[in-house]
Amino acid sequence: MNPKSPLFLRLSDRLDVYLRLMRADKPIGTLLLLWPTYWALWLASDGIPDWTVLAAFTIGTFLMRSAGCVINDFADRDFDGAVERTKNRPFAQGQVGKKEALLLTAFLCLLAALCLIPLNHLTWLMSLPALFLALTYPFTKRFFPIPQLYLGLAFSFGIPMAFAAVAGNVPPQAWILFAANVLWTLAYDTVYAMADKEDDLKIGIKTSAVTFGRYDIAAVMLCHGGFTLLMAVLGAVIGAAWAYWTAIPIVLLLQYRQYAAIKSRLRQICFETFLANNRIGWVWFTAIFAHTFFAK
């Protein structure tokens, strides 16, 4: 196809819009979904995950995160233009229609469903509540005072699914890890919401940052503390090797730095602090990887 032809230019333009809708240019959401899924895969497989299962979860996570972003923008299409951080998104700029977004969401979900083919039936069954949570989360901001908690459930379902895919069951340690990740998600997404708090108050969107009010920082640190405590409980349950425990002081230091940063409540600093949670994800992955290596 001629790269200068009207058809090529039209297709290129639509692809660019769709990729921005999917946040393909902003991988932080995919990474924050992948880390807990990888924690679970490595624990469930004793450090040797099957490459087919690993590929299925990696690709499926990217696709479902992308679908969640599209449906989120669809749900927020009447609000994003009034929020500084989201005013340049495709819906806010009038670059995409409702039907296009819904069809793209369905297509991404279909591709994600194909990733389930090599997995067992229990994983298929567990994908149903995961799908429901992912697609309904954006609408909870209309009525639920802490939608970030709902997001935590959605962002954590890869954990029991990973155990189900590897072991054929979901043991107690999977649910400890699930609860820990719910608290971590609530912590970092509240920081994310703090960046938009001023705009969200004006337009009436419900977020944990709005609900917690002046106690937002205390709530963030309480959730971070609960997350780290549950990861310590998990370590005790699995009889973690010494390498696992080295993550705790590192993570505590990273969490303290987040506390020191968000005290300013400045929009850009809160957003950058949210991004910094990727470090906590890979620190725990490194610790779990090292545990499975030294425990053999």
Side-chain angles (χ1 to χ4, degrees), residues 7-295:
L7 178 59
F8 181 88
L9 293 175
R10 170 66 177 170
L11 292 175
S12 178
D13 174 71
R14 299 324 294 159
L15 179 61
D16 176 70
V17 169
Y18 295 158
L19 289 175
R20 286 194 291 119
L21 265 179
M22 294 161 55
R23 310 283 201 282
D25 58 331
K26 297 177 181 178
I28 182 63
T30 300
L31 291 170
L32 292 174
L33 267 172
L34 275 177
W35 288 128
T37 303
Y38 283 174
W39 303 340
L41 283 173
W42 256 258
L43 285 174
S45 64
D46 294 324
I48 311 176
D50 180 87
W51 286 104
T52 301
V53 175
L54 181 60
F57 274 90
T58 301
I59 298 170
T61 296
F62 168 76
L63 292 169
M64 283 310 302
R65 185 260 178 166
S66 298
C69 288
V70 177
I71 200 65
N72 181 78
D73 281 11
F74 171 82
D76 291 348
R77 63 189 183 277
D78 296 328
F79 302 104
D80 279 348
V83 178
E84 179 66 25
R85 185 179 51 81
T86 61
K87 65 182 182 181
N88 293 318
R89 287 180 177 175
F91 261 114
Q93 294 290 309
Q95 297 173 330
V96 67
K98 291 184 290 185
K99 184 177 181 180
E100 276 184 289
L102 292 175
L103 287 174
L104 179 58
T105 301
F107 179 66
L108 291 168
C109 290
L110 175 60
L111 291 179
L114 295 178
C115 294
L116 294 170
I117 291 176
L119 308 180
N120 58 40
H121 287 170
L122 178 58
T123 313
W124 296 1
L125 289 174
M126 298 198 74
S127 72
L128 297 178
L131 176 66
F132 175 80
L133 289 168
L135 296 184
T136 55
Y137 156 70
F139 301 95
T140 62
K141 289 177 280 186
R142 306 296 186 279
F143 61 89
F144 189 47
I146 310 178
Q148 282 69 22
L149 177 61
Y150 196 94
L151 180 69
L153 298 176
F155 264 43
S156 301
F157 238 90
I159 294 169
M161 287 180 65
F163 274 92
V166 173
N169 63 80
V170 186
Q173 56 261 41
W175 296 113
I176 296 172
L177 190 58
F178 181 95
N181 193 63
V182 169
L183 289 177
W184 184 41
T185 306
L186 180 54
Y188 67 64
D189 209 57
T190 297
V191 174
Y192 187 66
M194 287 171 65
D196 297 335
K197 188 173 183 178
E198 183 179 338
D199 295 325
D200 290 337
L201 284 169
K202 292 177 181 177
I203 60 181
I205 289 289
K206 297 183 183 300
T207 72
S208 55
V210 171
T211 299
F212 294 143
R214 62 190 180 95
Y215 300 107
D216 50 3
I217 295 175
V220 167
M221 300 317 298
L222 186 63
C223 289
H224 267 312
F227 162 55
T228 303
L229 177 61
L230 284 174
M231 293 301 283
V233 171
L234 175 66
V237 169
I238 65 176
W242 64 268
Y244 180 93
W245 300 103
T246 62
I248 291 182
I250 298 173
V251 169
L252 288 174
L253 175 61
L254 292 173
Q255 290 170 336
Y256 174 76
R257 288 181 175 177
Q258 290 196 23
Y259 168 73
I262 62 176
K263 283 197 298 183
S264 69
R265 288 190 170 85
L266 294 175
R267 185 190 299 264
Q268 186 59 30
I269 290 178
C270 287
F271 181 70
E272 291 171 357
T273 302
F274 158 73
L275 297 176
N277 280 277
N278 183 51
R279 299 172 188 169
I280 292 177
W282 69 253
V283 166
W284 274 118
F285 174 73
T286 302
I288 290 171
F289 181 91
H291 154 71
T292 58
F293 179 82
F294 288 109

